[in-house]
Amino acid sequence: MRIKIIHGFALLSTGLLAGAFGYGAANLVPTFNAVPLEMRLSFHAELMKMNGITMQAAMGASILSSLTLAVLTTGRARLLAGAAGLLALASFLITRFGNVPINGRIKQWALTSPPADHAEILRRWELFNNMRTFAAFAAFVLLIVLAGGGLRAAARSVHDRADRSQ
């Protein structure tokens, strides 16, 4: 039962993470590119204030729940859950070391003016955004695959070992 609850939480948190990043990639980024630069910078800076807490919480919950699931399972389920946890971690690292520094620059630009090479920097932000979106989506897919059968077999295996040891 504990494994099912953790798997459910991993699915929920990773699904929310993938969904949030997916929505951003499919809707926010094209909108950013369609509006005047000043509007994009102001909106982007304000959005990052809101995203800071919620996205970090989703990434943390995805990483911890997936890796906990990997520890509690065996075989293929352990590999899938561990890979999902590492992909969620990758989305965090890409965000932290790719997007966040650029977000800081965007906040400054919103108050002053963007540099001459702002278009290239914004393209780099979009590349990092696509990478973290893909990582989160792949983590979610692995957890869905695990729900399709691998988790049941791993849970039985863990319970069988516990029964034999008693």
Side-chain angles (χ1 to χ4, degrees), residues 98-146:
N99 297 93
V100 169
I102 296 172
N103 290 343
R105 294 173 79 176
I106 290 171
K107 285 181 194 176
Q108 291 174 339
W109 302 346
L111 299 174
T112 58
S113 63
D117 66 341
H118 71 276
E120 176 55 35
I121 295 167
L122 293 174
R123 272 193 294 279
R124 203 168 50 232
W125 184 92
E126 290 177 22
L127 173 64
F128 290 132
N129 190 59
N130 290 336
M131 291 168 55
R132 69 185 180 176
T133 300
F134 175 79
F137 181 77
F140 186 48
V141 167
L142 290 177
L143 291 170
I144 291 170
V145 168
L146 187 54

Side-chain angles (χ1 to χ4, degrees), residues 3-134:
I3 290 174
K4 286 183 180 182
I5 291 170
I6 292 169
H7 185 228
F9 187 69
L11 275 167
L12 175 65
S13 59
T14 306
L16 289 171
L17 180 66
F21 281 149
Y23 178 83
N27 295 296
L28 288 176
V29 171
T31 303
F32 283 163
N33 292 329
V35 299
L37 181 61
E38 297 76 27
M39 183 182 293
R40 178 207 175 134
L41 298 177
S42 296
F43 182 75
H44 194 124
E46 285 302 313
L47 182 63
M48 293 311 106
K49 290 178 189 176
M50 302 302 294
N51 278 357
I53 294 170
T54 57
M55 294 308 291
Q56 286 182 38
M59 286 185 271
S62 297
I63 295 164
L64 291 175
S65 59
S66 295
L67 293 179
T68 299
L69 187 61
V71 168
L72 295 176
T73 57
T74 61
R76 181 172 178 253
R78 176 173 281 170
L79 291 175
L80 290 170
L86 292 176
L87 285 163
L89 176 62
S91 74
F92 170 77
L93 294 173
I94 292 165
T95 300
R96 176 64 190 96
F97 296 107
N99 297 93
V100 169
I102 296 172
N103 290 343
R105 294 173 79 176
I106 290 171
K107 285 181 194 176
Q108 291 174 339
W109 302 346
L111 299 174
T112 58
S113 63
D117 66 341
H118 71 276
E120 176 55 35
I121 295 167
L122 293 174
R123 272 193 294 279
R124 203 168 50 232
W125 184 92
E126 290 177 22
L127 173 64
F128 290 132
N129 190 59
N130 290 336
M131 291 168 55
R132 69 185 180 176
T133 300
F134 175 79

